[in-house]
């Protein structure tokens, strides 16, 4: 038994926490970390897959957002209108792969 009264993983609480991360847009932290948005989506999805709750986030909305982060040079930025970076390109490809949406990458860019 832990100090929280249980030794079980509270999956629903973890899922709720991840779902609520993008809803707290009124704080300075949200806007000061916009360059980390793609990484946050990646790690949130990884956690949801590990918790066996991959459908807890709207996949179509995620795909549309990630596609919006792709730049004319073919790479992806950490947020829309950000410069391409290898890290965010890798995370974007991983996100699209997890969501079976690799065909959404614009290979002509």
């Amino acid at each position: 038994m832990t100090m929280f009264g249980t030794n079980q993983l509270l999956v629903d609480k973890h899922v709720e926490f991840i779902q609520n991360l993008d809803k707290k847009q009124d704080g300075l932290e949200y806007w000061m970390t916009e360059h980390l948005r793609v990484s946050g989506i990646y790690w949130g999805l990884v956690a949801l897959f590990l918790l066996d709750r991959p459908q807890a986030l709207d996949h179509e909305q995620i795909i549309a957002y990630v596609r919006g982060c792709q730049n004319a040079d073919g790479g992806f930025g950490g947020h829309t209108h950000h410069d391409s970076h290898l890290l965010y390109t890798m995370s974007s490809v991983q996100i699209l792969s997890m969501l079976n949406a690799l065909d959404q990458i614009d290979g002509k860019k």
Side-chain angles (χ1 to χ4, degrees), residues 3 12 17 22 24-25 27 40 42 50 72 78-80 82 108:
M3 66 182 202
D12 291 337
F17 176 80
D22 198 48
K24 300 175 184 177
Q25 297 182 9
Y42 170 73
L50 290 172
H79 188 56
T80 55
H82 284 223
K108 295 178 183 176

Side-chain angles (χ1 to χ4, degrees), residues 67-108:
R67 288 187 68 205
C69 292
Q70 190 174 16
N71 294 311
D73 63 7
F76 293 80
H79 188 56
T80 55
H81 310 295
H82 284 223
D83 292 338
S84 297
H85 189 280
L86 181 61
L87 173 64
Y88 304 122
T89 300
M90 178 184 70
S91 294
S92 295
V93 171
Q94 290 172 314
I95 290 166
L96 295 173
S97 178
M98 287 190 297
L99 300 180
N100 297 312
L102 286 174
D103 60 331
Q104 296 296 312
I105 297 172
D106 185 349
K108 295 178 183 176

